Amino acid sequence: MSKVTITDLTLRDGHQSLIATRMRTEDMLPICDKMNAAGFWSLEVWGGATFDACLRFLKEDPWERLRQLREALPNTRLQMLLRGQNLLGYRHYADDVVRAFVARCADNGMDVFRIFDAMNDTRNVRVAIEAVKKENRHAQGAISYTTSPVHTPEQFVAMAREMVEMGCDSIAIKDMAGLLTPYATGELVSALVDAVDVPIHLHTHATAGLAEMCHLKAVEHGASNINTCMSAFAGGTSHAPTESMVAALRGTAYDTGLDLAALQEIGFYFREVRKKYHQFESEFTGVDTRVQTTQVPGGMISNLISQLKAQGALDKVGAVMEEIPRVREDLGYPPLVTPTSQIVGTQAVMNVLTGERYQTITNEVKSYLQGRYGRTPGQVNAVVRRKAIGDAEVIECRPADLLGQEMDKLRTEVGDLAGSEEDVLIYAMFPELGQEYLEHRRDGKLVPEPLEPVGASKEDKTAPVEFKATLH
Amino acid sequence: MSKVTITDLTLRDGHQSLIATRMRTEDMLPICDKMNAAGFWSLEVWGGATFDACLRFLKEDPWERLRQLREALPNTRLQMLLRGQNLLGYRHYADDVVRAFVARCADNGMDVFRIFDAMNDTRNVRVAIEAVKKENRHAQGAISYTTSPVHTPEQFVAMAREMVEMGCDSIAIKDMAGLLTPYATGELVSALVDAVDVPIHLHTHATAGLAEMCHLKAVEHGASNINTCMSAFAGGTSHAPTESMVAALRGTAYDTGLDLAALQEIGFYFREVRKKYHQFESEFTGVDTRVQTTQVPGGMISNLISQLKAQGALDKVGAVMEEIPRVREDLGYPPLVTPTSQIVGTQAVMNVLTGERYQTITNEVKSYLQGRYGRTPGQVNAVVRRKAIGDAEVIECRPADLLGQEMDKLRTEVGDLAGSEEDVLIYAMFPELGQEYLEHRRDGKLVPEPLEPVGASKEDKTAPVEFKATLH
Ligand SMILES: [Co+2]
Ligand SMILES: [Co+2]
């Protein structure tokens, strides 16, 4: 039993989960002094959807945000979330892009890289891990947690072992849907602690109201670090409150050593900040346990409902909910995280709306069944695969092995628009959006999306949510 | 290790905590079928502030609500919260009133009586416990949980033993402020389980974000029953979500046996109901850990701020927050629950605003120091007492021992207005309000407080809160 450390997620996953990733750098900087002094093991401040949101909505340079946060947080590790070979985009990148991206992150101040793959295919995280180690930074291998007939604690342990062999300095359990229960957490953490010599970190979401209990069982079973969010950005689809976990563990063998009164001050700051972004709030921010009965993440259910409503097919919700697990089974039980949640959800909607399963098959499902996202956790349905891709070849290799070097090509394409390697990588992540951003910047035409004044009507709430944003 | 049972609080403490006790019977009845079938050990549906709110705001007969709920919930225990010798009012009643009140509750369908005293003076709960046992109903003795230099687990255990000797069928830990931490809960539950042979129930509030973890440690240490609230009325100053606790314990030795999908349907019903009462929502419904650093309940802090703001003395908040623990110490460390939270809070405000401590002393503090609320947990400050009451006698007996029989007098006073013993007790609880209610009922002039339409402006939010409501 050792002291527990905390990674606070407010500046990345917190606002990504609750206000559609809209927090601006100007609202982060004033509190950085206090956050820097609080004693967190790390602050997750970058990666995930923040890079996209900076360019698309805030018209901020994400690299400039990183540099500013680095300067404002000199004594605390900065942490980011990286989608393995997908980096912060939505496709597999060539290895030279992965290496260049990681090098630029490190050079601009990143300390800890949490690296995951939606399929838990370790081939898709290897190059990123190596690149982080080459930069002498902390590489954290993340397990995308899910439940299915083919997922066992033993498999997660094997994956952790593999990632440690690849050079990871710590292992994270990443439970984005809030699927973990307290006793399942204890069991998995125990198995991981026994199997590997590096620290175990827990990242789980509060969606089903189980996060605090999961963290408690995690530390009792030897987890070193828990991921929490300042109370003002906690709860709902976000995380357990930082202040509450610090209070729960105070004076015990798991004491975090953090000063609760100092954290409360930070919490009050963020209460005010959150008000500014009211137009991005979900209608419901409470507890939703449906993921525990359906295994379908709450955010995915809400998105399906919006999608069906838009098509006047709200009466099909029940049928789609029943179809999702079947499609997931056909696809070999991928964890339901970006992008696999979209792939499975969209195909399930098609299967129901067309009236015949797999009459129409999305291009994403076709790619998936060709192996272009990586190795599937379980066997795919051979009949469905034949229907989807006929006799087309199924690739067995790592998807990125089929890509040649890309950086030179990207540099050429973006041309004078890029003033730095960082600019090239903006273009690499989002070719259209990135180019538009760089052009507007050149022309002095960057205009952040406007914020409605506090107290304004909430009637027209159409903040893009993850499911829609990543469907393109 | 045995199965865990659940008492759901939605119909009493849930709406009392979150929407100022405003839920109407018409919004309870449609879901009773499903709640009745869900398998709860009991449903807390009555008592606390509901009696007052029915008469004051809803213009409902609280006894009629009880009878309707009894009929609609034939297979589930109905539970209420009773303030010992104070019943549901704000003074000590004579024993014949206590006996008559308990008999009427039992006769109208109450099964389980949770009985507490703000001072933890067992003399103030004895008659109520005896009355419940005389009616062959379940008497639950509740410990008002607090922390102070004079409160120890041993004292709480001694109190539990005493209440069991008085006839209690179970013991509840009642933590209205959210002071409990998970490991303190485990320790206290263990001590109680070892000391007494009756089941231990845990009632704690989610204010500081610790409730779920407290429940988890409680059941691990042998608690039989946890008190939760349907997710739509959970969190904030309310309770841990019922669905989340059921999900957390499913498939373990503590399985509640409740069907999660069935509970989710009930939860969705209450999501819609809550919208109807939006005008009573607090501005902030998230986690507030300040009670863990200041020992002052969050609700009390908010109320003090409102009170100081109204007097243009908002700059004195810090001074008042520091004065509260000093006043509490002077008064012998009473738990801060109704009415002691008001007594301590108001005197602390006076001490700060007048510029001299105890220059002005409230009548409530004078009565308190005369022993008229009961025995104090610790020694009171003798200097303050002399200043407050001079040489006046301090009573050593049980406060109600000074009261003669009251029922005949009450019957005479209310006269023809009362058509039943229940009506007499309405008048007994709230002489002015009760009489007005009975008169309006006689004259066909009962008009419930109007509800603002959903979607209306939230600007003028002045819902009376507990602190104000009970200051009169
Ligand atoms: Co996350
Ligand atoms: Co309560």
Side-chain angles (χ1 to χ4, degrees):
Chain A
M1 289 193 305
S2 62
K3 301 278 177 183
V4 169
T5 63
I6 293 210
T7 292
D8 186 90
L9 305 162
T10 311
L11 301 180
R12 202 285 295 177
D13 208 349
H15 71 107
Q16 180 172 334
S17 297
L18 296 178
I19 54 165
T21 332
R22 292 308 207 283
M23 199 190 295
R24 300 176 179 197
T25 306
E26 69 192 38
D27 288 321
M28 301 175 179
L29 295 176
I31 199 66
C32 280
D33 244 12
K34 284 186 176 144
M35 294 188 92
N36 183 52
F40 293 113
W41 185 83
S42 70
L43 291 169
E44 194 190 59
V45 299
W46 213 71
T50 62
F51 198 95
D52 185 343
C54 274
L55 300 171
R56 191 181 301 272
F57 306 115
L58 312 183
K59 304 304 172 189
E60 287 190 20
D61 182 340
W63 298 103
E64 179 57 22
R65 169 181 290 187
L66 175 54
R67 287 187 290 269
Q68 289 185 290
L69 289 173
R70 174 73 289 167
E71 198 185 330
L73 296 160
N75 307 117
T76 306
R77 289 179 193 85
L78 299 189
Q79 181 167 329
M80 73 173 288
L81 180 66
L82 194 71
R83 302 187 186 120
Q85 204 74 24
N86 295 349
L87 298 172
L88 303 181
Y90 301 108
R91 68 168 178 95
H92 284 254
Y93 290 94
D95 293 340
D96 66 333
V97 183
V98 173
R99 292 195 187 100
F101 195 85
V102 168
R104 287 302 87 215
C105 292
D107 203 49
N108 282 283
M110 192 57 62
D111 297 302
V112 181
F113 295 70
R114 172 173 290 165
I115 303 163
F116 80 102
D117 176 63
M119 307 283 278
N120 281 332
D121 184 341
T122 48
R123 301 173 307 172
N124 293 336
V125 295
R126 186 176 49 76
V127 175
I129 292 168
E130 285 170 6
V132 171
K133 291 320 299 171
K134 182 157 172 274
E135 301 293 329
N136 281 312
R137 302 303 158 111
H138 184 115
Q140 180 173 86
I143 298 163
S144 298
Y145 182 76
T146 191
T147 55
S148 86
V150 304
H151 286 91
T152 62
E154 291 69 35
Q155 278 173 309
F156 291 132
V157 165
M159 185 187 173
R161 278 213 181 92
E162 247 190 287
M163 291 193 290
V164 171
E165 277 161 27
M166 288 174 180
C168 281
D169 301 287
S170 60
I171 294 294
I173 304 167
K174 176 178 158 61
D175 173 31
M176 72 80 83
L179 273 167
L180 276 171
T181 63
Y183 296 100
T185 305
E187 195 188 345
L188 179 55
V189 169
S190 260
L192 290 169
V193 167
D194 286 348
V196 298
D197 279 334
V198 301
I200 306 302
H201 292 214
L202 177 60
H203 180 88
T204 182
H205 283 253
T207 320
L210 303 175
E212 295 88 341
M213 294 182 279
C214 292
H215 286 309
L216 198 72
K217 298 315 286 185
V219 302
E220 288 183 356
H221 288 82
S224 301
N225 174 289
I226 56 177
N227 285 196
T228 60
C229 208
M230 295 308 303
S231 59
F233 278 92
T237 53
S238 180
H239 306 271
T242 302
E243 300 95 312
S244 303
M245 292 311 305
V246 168
L249 301 176
R250 266 204 309 179
T252 74
Y254 317 108
D255 198 321
T256 64
L258 270 60
D259 177 43
L260 185 50
L263 294 177
Q264 287 165 352
E265 283 190 50
I266 300 172
F268 284 117
Y269 172 81
F270 282 115
R271 273 201 206 179
E272 293 308 309
V273 166
R274 186 164 170 179
K275 291 178 188 166
K276 180 171 165 185
Y277 298 98
H278 63 93
Q279 75 204 78
F280 306 109
E281 294 277 353
S282 302
E283 195 207 347
F284 179 75
T285 55
V287 158
D288 184 346
T289 55
R290 281 177 295 177
V291 72
Q292 291 285 331
T293 45
T294 62
Q295 273 71 56
V296 181
M300 199 174 154
I301 301 177
S302 312
N303 275 295
L304 286 169
I305 291 174
S306 308
Q307 202 173 324
L308 291 170
K309 204 184 239 169
Q311 296 177 41
L314 205 50
D315 57 318
K316 299 290 199 302
V317 168
V320 171
M321 286 297 295
E322 283 167 25
E323 179 65 6
I324 287 172
R326 288 196 292 255
V327 172
R328 186 170 172 238
E329 183 180 351
D330 291 337
L331 298 189
Y333 296 108
L336 295 178
V337 308
T338 303
T340 41
S341 51
Q342 291 80 0
I343 295 172
V344 170
T346 308
Q347 187 61 51
V349 170
M350 298 247 177
N351 284 359
V352 169
L353 292 193
T354 61
E356 190 193 325
R357 303 187 72 219
Y358 302 110
Q359 189 193 11
T360 306
I361 298 180
T362 67
N363 288 332
E364 287 74 16
V365 167
K366 287 177 187 166
S367 294
Y368 178 99
L369 289 169
Q370 284 186 292
R372 295 190 178 278
Y373 288 86
R375 215 180 266 139
T376 59
Q379 294 285 324
V380 304
N381 181 325
V383 176
V384 171
R385 180 159 67 191
R386 170 158 288 271
K387 202 161 178 181
I389 61 168
D391 288 329
E393 198 196 358
V394 176
I395 66 164
E396 298 288 338
C397 65
R398 183 181 70 122
D401 284 339
L402 301 177
L403 304 169
Q405 301 228 337
E406 293 186 300
M407 279 303 287
D408 282 343
K409 181 168 156 284
L410 290 162
R411 277 190 205 101
T412 310
E413 279 175 20
V414 71
D416 284 349
L417 269 180
S420 64
E421 189 89 337
E422 284 81 356
D423 286 347
V424 177
L425 291 164
I426 284 175
Y427 172 74
M429 290 306 104
F430 303 101
E432 285 174 49
L433 173 68
Q435 176 163 349
E436 184 194 273
Y437 170 84
L438 294 171
E439 284 169 359
H440 285 181
R441 189 180 65 181
R442 178 195 59 198
D443 304 339
K445 281 168 51 185
L446 289 175
V447 181
E449 157 199 56
L451 293 177
E452 289 172 15
V454 177
S457 159
K458 291 192 180 185
E459 299 214 356
D460 192 29
K461 290 202 299 187
T462 50
V465 284
E466 193 189 1
F467 194 60
K468 290 183 203 157
T470 53
L471 262 172
H472 62 261
Chain B
M1 286 194 304
S2 61
K3 301 275 177 185
V4 169
T5 64
I6 293 211
T7 293
D8 186 89
L9 305 161
T10 311
L11 300 180
R12 202 285 297 176
D13 209 348
H15 70 108
Q16 180 171 335
S17 297
L18 296 179
I19 53 164
T21 332
R22 291 309 208 284
M23 199 191 294
R24 300 176 180 197
T25 307
E26 68 191 38
D27 287 322
M28 301 175 179
L29 295 176
I31 199 66
C32 280
D33 245 12
K34 284 186 175 144
M35 294 190 90
N36 183 52
F40 293 114
W41 185 83
S42 70
L43 291 169
E44 193 189 61
V45 299
W46 212 71
T50 61
F51 198 95
D52 186 341
C54 275
L55 300 171
R56 193 181 300 272
F57 306 114
L58 313 183
K59 304 303 172 189
E60 287 189 22
D61 182 339
W63 298 101
E64 179 58 22
R65 169 181 291 187
L66 175 54
R67 286 187 290 270
Q68 289 185 288
L69 290 172
R70 174 73 288 166
E71 198 185 330
L73 296 160
N75 308 117
T76 305
R77 289 180 193 84
L78 299 189
Q79 180 167 331
M80 73 173 288
L81 180 66
L82 193 71
R83 302 187 187 119
Q85 204 75 21
N86 296 350
L87 298 172
L88 302 181
Y90 301 109
R91 68 168 177 95
H92 284 256
Y93 290 95
D95 294 339
D96 66 331
V97 182
V98 173
R99 292 194 187 100
F101 194 86
V102 167
R104 288 302 86 215
C105 291
D107 203 50
N108 282 284
M110 192 57 62
D111 297 301
V112 181
F113 295 72
R114 173 173 289 165
I115 303 163
F116 80 101
D117 176 63
M119 307 284 278
N120 281 333
D121 183 341
T122 49
R123 300 172 309 171
N124 292 336
V125 295
R126 185 176 49 78
V127 175
I129 293 169
E130 285 170 7
V132 171
K133 291 321 297 172
K134 183 156 171 276
E135 301 293 330
N136 281 312
R137 302 304 158 110
H138 185 115
Q140 180 173 85
I143 298 163
S144 299
Y145 182 76
T146 190
T147 55
S148 87
V150 304
H151 287 90
T152 62
E154 291 71 34
Q155 278 173 308
F156 291 132
V157 165
M159 186 188 173
R161 278 212 180 93
E162 248 190 286
M163 291 193 291
V164 171
E165 277 160 27
M166 288 174 181
C168 281
D169 301 288
S170 60
I171 294 294
I173 304 166
K174 176 178 158 59
D175 174 30
M176 74 80 85
L179 272 167
L180 276 171
T181 62
Y183 296 100
T185 305
E187 194 187 346
L188 179 55
V189 168
S190 261
L192 290 170
V193 168
D194 286 348
V196 298
D197 279 333
V198 301
I200 306 301
H201 292 215
L202 177 61
H203 180 87
T204 183
H205 283 254
T207 320
L210 303 174
E212 295 87 342
M213 293 182 278
C214 292
H215 286 310
L216 198 71
K217 297 315 285 185
V219 302
E220 288 183 357
H221 287 82
S224 302
N225 174 288
I226 56 177
N227 287 196
T228 60
C229 209
M230 295 308 303
S231 60
F233 278 92
T237 54
S238 179
H239 305 271
T242 302
E243 300 94 313
S244 303
M245 292 311 306
V246 167
L249 302 176
R250 265 204 310 179
T252 75
Y254 317 108
D255 199 322
T256 64
L258 271 61
D259 177 42
L260 186 51
L263 295 176
Q264 287 165 352
E265 283 189 48
I266 300 172
F268 284 117
Y269 172 81
F270 281 115
R271 272 202 207 179
E272 292 307 310
V273 166
R274 186 163 170 180
K275 290 179 188 164
K276 180 170 164 185
Y277 298 98
H278 63 93
Q279 76 203 79
F280 305 109
E281 294 278 354
S282 301
E283 196 208 346
F284 179 75
T285 55
V287 157
D288 183 346
T289 55
R290 281 178 296 176
V291 72
Q292 291 285 333
T293 46
T294 63
Q295 273 73 56
V296 181
M300 198 172 154
I301 300 176
S302 311
N303 275 295
L304 285 169
I305 291 174
S306 308
Q307 201 173 325
L308 291 170
K309 203 184 240 170
Q311 297 178 38
L314 206 51
D315 58 315
K316 298 290 199 303
V317 168
V320 171
M321 286 297 294
E322 282 167 27
E323 179 64 6
I324 287 172
R326 288 196 290 256
V327 172
R328 185 169 174 240
E329 183 179 352
D330 290 338
L331 299 189
Y333 296 108
L336 295 178
V337 308
T338 305
T340 41
S341 52
Q342 290 81 359
I343 295 173
V344 170
T346 308
Q347 187 61 51
V349 170
M350 298 246 178
N351 285 359
V352 168
L353 292 194
T354 61
E356 191 193 324
R357 303 187 73 218
Y358 302 109
Q359 189 194 11
T360 307
I361 299 179
T362 67
N363 288 333
E364 286 75 15
V365 168
K366 287 177 187 167
S367 294
Y368 177 99
L369 289 169
Q370 284 185 292
R372 295 188 179 279
Y373 289 85
R375 216 180 265 140
T376 59
Q379 294 285 324
V380 304
N381 182 324
V383 176
V384 171
R385 179 156 73 189
R386 170 157 288 270
K387 203 161 176 180
I389 62 167
D391 289 328
E393 199 196 354
V394 177
I395 65 163
E396 297 290 338
C397 65
R398 182 181 70 120
D401 284 338
L402 302 176
L403 304 169
Q405 301 226 337
E406 292 187 300
M407 279 304 287
D408 283 343
K409 181 168 156 282
L410 290 162
R411 278 190 203 99
T412 310
E413 280 176 17
V414 71
D416 285 350
L417 269 180
S420 65
E421 189 90 336
E422 284 82 356
D423 286 347
V424 177
L425 291 164
I426 284 175
Y427 172 73
M429 290 305 104
F430 303 101
E432 285 173 50
L433 174 68
Q435 176 163 347
E436 185 194 272
Y437 170 84
L438 295 170
E439 285 168 357
H440 285 181
R441 189 179 66 182
R442 179 195 58 199
D443 304 340
K445 282 168 50 186
L446 289 176
V447 181
E449 159 199 56
L451 293 178
E452 289 173 14
V454 176
S457 158
K458 290 192 182 183
E459 299 216 355
D460 192 29
K461 291 203 298 191
T462 51
V465 284
E466 192 189 3
F467 193 61
K468 291 183 203 156
T470 53
L471 261 173
H472 61 261

